[in-house]
Amino acid sequence: MKKLVVIGVSALVAFIAAIGLAQSASAYPETTCSVTVNAQKILSGSELKVTGSAQQFTTPRHSARLAATTVHWKATFNNVIHQADVNNFSTTFKVPAVTAKKVYPLVVQALMPDATTTCQRTLDITVEPSGTHVTPPTGPTLPNTGGPRLALLIAGFALVLAGGGAIYTSRKRHGGGHTA
């Protein structure tokens, strides 16, 4: 009976060691990708610049980059598709003209060189009408930003003079306002 327990415990230890020391499955390599745009809030009629980069690693432990040639990129914005087979992706979309604020999805996919792994990012791009932003002045003077109007300034000055005159005449009638 003692031998049977020893054999059972040994088999259990060997099974646990085999599972614990086995390498993890690397059928699906680790993939990372990033997508950047020049702005997520943009004026209608302007350009949206999109860039992307992707990497695929054989295993998380070794971080060895696959020696593949290129990544297949596909970017979709406002039903327009741009594709390229490059490692570092860059493209430009024409932003549609809108009369009211509207949100368009930008979907960027990277099909990795192993042809089985896809990395996808989706960004919401807010498009605003062109007339909604104030442009800075180009001349040497600053614009009138709502300072006092000349008519109100003159009226206020006249009221101050009238009040001063009223005080002066009231003090003159009552003997200067001083009593001894």
Side-chain angles (χ1 to χ4, degrees):
M1 181 75 170
K2 211 179 214 188
K3 287 183 183 181
L4 190 58
V5 171
V6 170
I7 292 173
V9 169
S10 298
L12 182 62
V13 168
F15 177 73
I16 291 174
I19 290 176
L21 298 176
Q23 287 193 352
S24 60
S26 62
Y28 301 104
E30 179 182 344
T31 302
T32 61
C33 67
S34 66
V35 175
T36 58
V37 293
N38 59 330
Q40 279 192 264
K41 192 178 272 190
I42 196 161
L43 292 177
S44 68
S46 59
E47 291 184 340
L48 176 66
K49 295 176 184 165
V50 181
T51 58
S53 64
Q55 287 186 347
Q56 189 174 43
F57 301 100
T58 54
T59 63
R61 289 183 187 169
H62 302 307
S63 298
R65 186 179 172 135
L66 288 177
T69 53
T70 57
V71 177
H72 178 73
W73 291 91
K74 179 180 176 183
T76 306
F77 177 71
N78 190 30
N79 297 324
V80 176
I81 299 172
H82 292 184
Q83 297 185 56
D85 290 324
V86 293
N87 286 329
N88 294 313
F89 180 67
S90 180
T91 189
T92 303
F93 288 97
K94 181 76 175 157
V95 177
V98 296
T99 56
K101 182 176 164 181
K102 189 170 181 184
V103 176
Y104 291 92
L106 167 69
V107 180
V108 181
Q109 296 174 328
L111 179 62
M112 300 311 288
D114 66 1
T116 60
T117 309
T118 301
C119 187
Q120 179 174 317
R121 300 288 184 261
T122 303
L123 300 170
D124 287 334
I125 307 297
T126 303
V127 179
E128 295 180 342
S130 294
T132 58
H133 291 281
V134 177
T135 56
T138 56
T141 60
L142 293 174
N144 183 358
T145 59
R149 297 179 54 119
L150 183 60
L152 291 176
L153 183 64
I154 293 171
F157 188 65
L159 288 172
V160 168
L161 287 177
I167 291 174
Y168 177 75
T169 56
S170 71
R171 286 187 178 178
K172 192 173 183 183
R173 286 186 194 165
H174 297 302
H178 293 205
T179 57

